[in-house]
Amino acid sequence: MDWSKAKTLLMLTFLILNVYLAIQLMDRMVEPRIVATSATGKSILKDRQIDEKKLQPVTRDIGYLTAEVDARTLAPLASSPIRDAVASVKNDVEWSVRLTKPYRLETKTMRDSASSFVQASVRYGAEYTFWKYDSKYQEMTFVQTYKGQPLYSTPQQSREDDAMIGPSLLVLQLNDAKEIVSYKQRHLNKVVRQAQDVTLLSASEAIVQLSEQGLFPASKRLTSHKLGYFCLVTEGTESVQILPPTWQIELDNEEVYFVNAIDGGVQTVERLDTVSEK
């Protein structure tokens, strides 16, 4: 086999894939955004007791990101307290690590205690930040960040068929004693910000979008909102990922929606027993 020709063919294949994905994103950008009129929008915010002045402002120079699924080792750091943990890898990208000795968390400061564990023990731990705690499944989820902004991706959708977690997530598994017994991790690398001239949806426009689609009735309350990014490609182990700027909107501490800040598309996430940043 002519390895030089094979290498050239592989590089051309990835180039074509990158161009295709970029075209797909541009198609999303030019689609009209469906939002209510200004007067109707203000009425929606008032009915939901939302003060528009207290909503997070959008950074106008923010652009979409491109990234690649990291296929390098995500085994625990050799210098970490859990260096003797048992690690395995699935599809070359998702690492499962089982601790030989459970790591006890401080129950009054679980978030800080878990964050300290991630910083000291997990590879690329400094790139992750706490996202949510699910008391039903005893899981603490951390999300990868880029320049301080979260790179959200879909959590594990099915616990029956051992589905993979999102490509930017780190999920700690706890026992009943609130000790870390294992974790799963995926990581994105080669993250690059791409320039764009599209005006993004504001937080209020994203909220109106949810309301117009019947996902945010007046009976619910906004409990948090944050601008970050969301992986458009999460199925399987595709190398190339495109991450448009996205609003994460949490309702009543139990439902999470992601609203694409470019085209207003809504990505729902499974109903959660507990979603909290405390």
Side-chain angles (χ1 to χ4, degrees):
M1 177 182 290
D2 190 332
W3 290 106
S4 178
K5 291 183 178 180
K7 182 179 179 181
T8 300
L9 179 61
L10 184 61
M11 293 176 64
L12 287 174
T13 301
F14 277 110
L15 177 61
I16 293 172
L17 178 60
N18 280 333
V19 172
Y20 169 76
L21 290 173
I23 292 174
Q24 294 300 307
L25 181 63
M26 292 305 296
D27 286 343
R28 285 173 173 260
M29 289 180 183
V30 298
E31 291 178 356
R33 300 178 302 183
I34 305 173
V35 296
T37 62
S38 178
T40 303
K42 291 183 181 299
S43 176
I44 287 174
L45 295 178
K46 182 178 180 181
D47 290 344
R48 286 150 187 78
Q49 300 179 23
I50 296 173
D51 184 349
E52 189 172 7
K53 295 179 181 179
K54 294 183 179 180
L55 295 175
Q56 179 184 346
V58 64
T59 303
R60 295 297 175 182
D61 60 352
I62 190 173
Y64 73 93
L65 304 178
T66 58
E68 293 184 10
V69 172
D70 198 344
R72 298 171 298 178
T73 179
L74 297 179
L77 297 171
S79 60
S80 77
I82 60 165
R83 55 183 175 275
D84 57 346
V86 180
S88 61
V89 62
K90 179 179 181 180
N91 294 335
D92 295 323
V93 297
E94 180 174 292
W95 284 73
S96 296
V97 178
R98 178 171 55 83
L99 280 61
T100 54
K101 181 181 179 181
Y103 182 95
R104 180 175 293 279
L105 298 177
E106 297 294 333
T107 54
K108 292 184 178 180
T109 56
M110 284 182 59
R111 173 179 173 176
D112 291 341
S113 184
S115 296
S116 296
F117 168 83
V118 170
Q119 294 279 335
S121 304
V122 175
R123 195 169 294 270
Y124 308 115
E127 296 181 22
Y128 291 84
T129 187
F130 177 77
W131 178 15
K132 61 179 180 284
Y133 169 56
D134 190 323
S135 61
K136 180 178 180 180
Y137 293 103
Q138 297 279 43
E139 291 176 346
M140 299 187 77
T141 301
F142 286 70
V143 62
Q144 192 178 338
T145 62
Y146 174 76
K147 294 187 176 181
Q149 293 177 307
L151 309 181
Y152 296 112
S153 53
T154 306
Q156 183 171 299
Q157 291 299 296
S158 173
R159 300 171 192 278
E160 309 299 327
D161 57 6
D162 195 28
M164 295 179 69
I165 61 174
S168 60
L169 300 184
L170 166 66
V171 182
L172 308 182
Q173 183 64 57
L174 312 183
N175 59 19
D176 291 337
K178 298 297 186 292
E179 298 172 323
I180 300 173
V181 294
S182 65
Y183 67 85
K184 292 182 178 181
Q185 181 186 10
R186 292 183 69 183
H187 184 261
L188 294 173
N189 67 354
K190 299 182 180 179
V191 182
V192 179
R193 188 193 300 274
Q194 307 293 339
Q196 68 182 47
D197 297 324
V198 178
T199 300
L200 302 182
L201 266 72
S202 64
S204 59
E205 288 175 317
I207 290 169
V208 170
Q209 183 79 336
L210 279 182
S211 303
E212 288 289 296
Q213 296 189 29
L215 299 173
F216 190 173
S219 59
K220 294 185 179 294
R221 290 291 172 263
L222 176 70
T223 47
S224 77
H225 69 289
K226 181 179 294 184
L227 183 64
Y229 296 89
F230 190 88
C231 296
L232 289 179
V233 182
T234 57
E235 296 297 325
T237 59
E238 289 90 343
S239 176
V240 179
Q241 306 282 303
I242 294 180
L243 300 90
T246 303
W247 287 103
Q248 180 207 259
I249 297 178
E250 177 188 306
L251 307 179
D252 287 350
N253 285 318
E254 61 183 17
E255 294 176 347
V256 176
Y257 295 95
F258 293 94
V259 181
N260 188 312
I262 294 176
D263 64 17
V266 178
Q267 169 74 45
T268 60
V269 176
E270 64 187 70
R271 185 180 179 88
L272 298 166
D273 178 58
T274 300
V275 181
S276 175
E277 293 202 354
K278 296 180 180 180

